[in-house]
Amino acid sequence: MTEPVLETRGITKRFGALTASEDIALDLKPGEIHAVIGPNGAGKSTLIQQICGLLRPDAGQVLLGGRDVTRLGAAARARDGLARTFQVSQLAMEDTVLQNALLGALGATARPWRFFGRALGDAELRDRAEAALAQVGLADAAATLCADLSHGQRRQLEVAMALTVDPRAFVMDEPMAGLGAEGSKRMTGFLSELRGTAPILLVEHDMDAVFALADRISVLVYGRIIAKGTVAEIRADRAVREAYLGEEP
Ligand code: ADP
Ligand code: MG
């Protein structure tokens, strides 16, 4: 059996009387897209934050590459190859696409930031950054200011930055949010290819995208996983249709 790249065991998180995550077991295997869906307030973002190290669970473990990282912070998990993307605020808007990609590559080498001025001349860093931009289809935009990119291109740049650090796994919280129909379609094609580089744990509201992309789906309702399965299984699941897809029994 293939070892999961990322796994949660019995993750539980309470906010006062509210249990936002209840005994959640999930895993992510090489090459797959595992989607987590559920209505607003189901606990999707809370779960993602615990996986990334932004929130400490009350109980349970997070394993990355088989290692227990539950007590590590977000930065340490990122250095260990857990790529959380689409935090658009992390981009330096006044810098070019290439400069942003170099920042990502520089992070991968643990060199102090003060060497950034020389980074443009550093062939290895530049190679990494350019290869990552080519992979996300932004090679031609290398000299463009980040501020001039479209919403969708900024998300692709975030992925490029993650690629420079050699990610083991991607964790994405609603990457389609704010993209129009055309942008979502392009992002869907892009994510489909990206799973060959590293598997993706995908929280997404856009059901067309989820049904097109997911190898497996877990359905979260009121902090609990109520169903797991393939796209076909989830579409046919009675409890899911009633609880989430809004259909009458
Ligand atoms: P989703 O991402 O699925 O919409 P969230 O994980 O954001 O859901 O929220 C799950 C539940 O936990 C919601 O009821 C929300 O109000 C609550 N919640 C989230 N974060 C906090 C917090 N820091 N303090 C108290 N309650 C929170
Ligand atoms: Mg959310």
Side-chain angles (χ1 to χ4, degrees):
M1 225 185 88
T2 324
E3 286 296 308
V5 177
L6 182 65
E7 191 179 352
T8 70
R9 293 184 184 162
I11 288 286
T12 298
K13 181 74 193 175
R14 293 185 194 87
F15 297 119
L18 175 81
T19 304
S21 307
E22 188 174 339
D23 196 20
I24 294 185
L26 279 180
D27 64 19
L28 185 65
K29 303 234 168 68
E32 77 169 346
I33 295 182
H34 185 161
V36 176
I37 63 171
N40 270 334
K44 303 180 297 296
S45 294
T46 301
L47 175 64
I48 293 290
Q49 285 170 15
Q50 292 172 94
I51 290 170
C52 295
L54 297 167
L55 203 59
R56 180 70 57 86
D58 296 322
Q61 284 111 40
V62 179
L63 290 92
L64 182 58
R67 185 166 80 108
D68 188 337
V69 296
T70 316
R71 309 201 72 79
L72 296 183
R77 292 184 205 191
R79 277 195 299 276
D80 204 19
L82 186 63
R84 180 168 168 266
T85 60
F86 304 139
Q87 291 304 293
V88 171
S89 59
Q90 284 174 11
L91 296 175
M93 291 296 167
E94 302 310 315
D95 286 339
T96 65
V97 165
L98 179 60
Q99 283 168 327
N100 271 278
L102 279 166
L103 279 175
L106 199 63
T109 65
R111 266 176 253 198
W113 293 100
R114 64 192 153 85
F115 290 131
F116 181 58
R118 278 190 246 154
L120 280 163
D122 187 316
E124 189 204 321
L125 284 181
R126 205 181 159 112
D127 283 353
R128 262 180 194 252
E130 284 177 344
L133 289 179
Q135 197 177 339
V136 304
L138 284 178
D140 293 342
T144 303
L145 284 185
C146 187
D148 293 333
L149 296 179
S150 72
H151 206 43
Q153 286 175 315
R154 284 180 198 165
R155 293 191 166 170
Q156 280 163 260
L157 178 54
E158 280 283 331
V159 172
M161 291 177 74
L163 286 171
T164 61
V165 259
D166 237 343
R168 290 172 195 259
F170 288 104
V171 176
M172 302 185 182
D173 196 353
E174 302 200 26
M176 312 290 175
L179 301 183
E182 198 50 44
S184 291
K185 230 169 101 189
R186 211 171 309 126
M187 184 61 70
T188 300
F190 176 65
L191 295 184
S192 184
E193 283 181 23
L194 194 64
R195 95 183 95 190
T197 301
I200 306 172
L201 187 68
L202 175 71
V203 165
E204 184 49 60
H205 257 303
D206 180 336
M207 296 312 289
D208 289 340
V210 167
F211 289 150
L213 282 169
D215 299 292
R216 282 193 293 157
I217 299 176
S218 293
V219 183
L220 197 62
V221 177
Y222 293 126
R224 289 178 46 236
I225 293 179
I226 64 158
K228 288 185 185 189
T230 61
V231 169
E233 286 162 353
I234 293 301
R235 288 182 109 143
D237 189 295
R238 203 180 165 84
V240 174
R241 294 166 76 128
E242 286 167 19
Y244 180 48
L245 299 176
E247 291 181 19
E248 295 299 317

